[in-house]
Amino acid sequence: MGSAQFEGFTHSLGIPAGMPVDKQEFDEILSFELHEPADILDADKLYTIPEIARLLQGLPADAELSEASESVFIDWAIPWMIFNQDDLVIADPQDDDVVGLYGLAES
């Protein structure tokens, strides 16, 4: 039962069912590059994690995404934020139902 749920979830995200996949099956393999925080964040603004996730994908911070795409983008953004924690700051939420906001640390 758990396996079927996992397969259904991964299929909806576009993950091939037969993993791993041979590199030879792809016409193009791209290099893996991580952006520097200063390259994607405005020094005068604070962002939510979903906004940062969009910016890391080269999208506008307010881009409309499906829930599945947003979830995957956030899964990439959080480790990036941890890796770059020395370059980031967080603003304490001013209200209990407001999320934290993140931005560039002063250099």
Side-chain angles (χ1 to χ4, degrees):
M1 181 172 147
S3 171
Q5 287 176 337
F6 182 74
E7 287 176 18
F9 173 74
T10 57
H11 178 69
S12 68
L13 295 179
I15 299 172
M19 293 295 287
V21 177
D22 290 332
K23 285 183 182 179
Q24 298 167 350
E25 292 186 28
F26 295 88
D27 294 331
E28 183 178 16
I29 302 291
L30 305 172
S31 63
F32 185 78
E33 298 176 18
L34 292 177
H35 300 284
E36 294 294 324
D39 292 340
I40 64 162
L41 303 178
D42 183 322
D44 296 325
K45 297 190 187 260
L46 295 171
Y47 304 87
T48 63
I49 292 174
E51 290 170 333
I52 291 172
R54 286 168 172 77
L55 294 171
L56 285 169
Q57 297 299 320
L59 300 170
D62 61 352
E64 289 289 325
L65 296 175
S66 69
E67 285 184 40
S69 292
E70 183 171 66
S71 177
V72 170
F73 292 172
I74 289 172
D75 285 349
W76 280 84
I78 292 171
W80 176 87
M81 292 174 69
I82 293 168
F83 179 79
N84 290 292
Q85 64 185 323
D86 292 340
D87 297 323
L88 302 173
V89 294
I90 183 171
D92 246 351
Q94 296 175 338
D95 200 348
D96 289 342
D97 58 346
V98 176
V99 298
L101 297 170
Y102 302 84
L104 287 175
E106 293 185 22
S107 41

